[in-house]
Amino acid sequence: MDLFSGILSSLGLSGAAGLNAYIPLLMVGALNHFGVMHLAEPYSLLSEPWVMLVVGLLGVLDFIGDKIPGVDHALHVVGGLVNTAAGAILFASQTGVAEIPPALSLVLGLVVAGGVHATRTAVRPVATATTAGLGNPVLSAAEDVGSLTLSILAIFIPILAVVFLVLFVVAAYRLYVRFRGRRPTL
């Protein structure tokens, strides 16, 4: 059951990183720092105060910038790398004690976070086009809340995290399909 729970937690945290890289990184680091969870080396570096400070500051800048049309696009381009890397690290940090080879853990985290980030990136232009950018702050806030919720579930109730992750992907896909035809043609 420990291996199964670890994999579910890894899936949830890497999915949360696909939405917002900084929330799950900061949460895992803080929980390890305060002894609520244990991260094996080298992932315990996430709980160093200076690392949490840097992640927190970058998270605040991302939080603000993602609410601004145009800036959010640039952040999504950079996020393609940052979010997937964070997902890989988070996946591996949870399965480091399990039977899964570290390289496979990193690849799985990269795929999960990258898939969620790609879904998010596909939905955002549709929202921008259909709302003239006015819906972007609302969508960004929903992504942040989703990342926080998914992070909490992944740590404390991993099975619900995976259910939440699947529901998110299905909802995002339906939203994309629904609004894809409403884009104005040039």
Side-chain angles (χ1 to χ4, degrees):
M1 187 62 175
D2 207 41
L3 174 64
F4 183 68
S5 179
I7 291 172
L8 293 178
S9 183
S10 296
L11 288 168
L13 286 170
S14 58
L19 291 171
N20 181 318
Y22 308 102
I23 291 172
L25 284 173
L26 194 56
M27 184 175 290
V28 165
L31 290 174
N32 186 68
H33 182 77
F34 293 111
V36 176
M37 69 184 317
H38 174 72
L39 297 175
E41 294 298 329
Y43 306 107
S44 63
L45 181 65
L46 292 172
S47 63
E48 292 292 326
W50 69 270
V51 172
M52 290 191 300
L53 179 65
V54 169
V55 169
L57 288 173
L58 290 172
V60 167
L61 292 174
D62 181 73
F63 180 81
I64 293 167
D66 200 35
K67 309 301 185 272
I68 302 168
V71 175
D72 66 339
H73 177 69
L75 288 173
H76 282 208
V77 170
V78 172
L81 181 62
V82 172
N83 293 44
T84 54
I89 290 167
L90 287 162
F91 195 106
S93 76
Q94 299 303 298
T95 59
V97 294
E99 307 292 322
I100 298 175
L104 180 58
S105 293
L106 290 169
V107 169
L108 290 171
L110 187 100
V111 168
V112 171
V116 170
H117 184 73
T119 303
R120 170 185 177 212
T121 302
V123 169
R124 187 61 72 96
V126 175
T128 300
T130 57
T131 66
L134 297 176
N136 289 9
V138 174
L139 189 55
S140 176
E143 292 165 354
D144 294 338
V145 169
S147 180
L148 178 62
T149 302
L150 192 51
S151 297
I152 291 168
L153 290 174
I155 293 167
F156 298 109
I157 313 170
I159 188 76
L160 284 181
V162 173
V163 170
F164 183 84
L165 183 59
V166 169
L167 291 175
F168 164 77
V169 171
V170 168
Y173 176 76
R174 285 185 176 172
L175 182 67
Y176 175 74
V177 168
R178 179 176 177 202
F179 288 107
R180 182 181 59 197
R182 293 188 185 183
R183 284 190 280 179
T185 57
L186 299 176

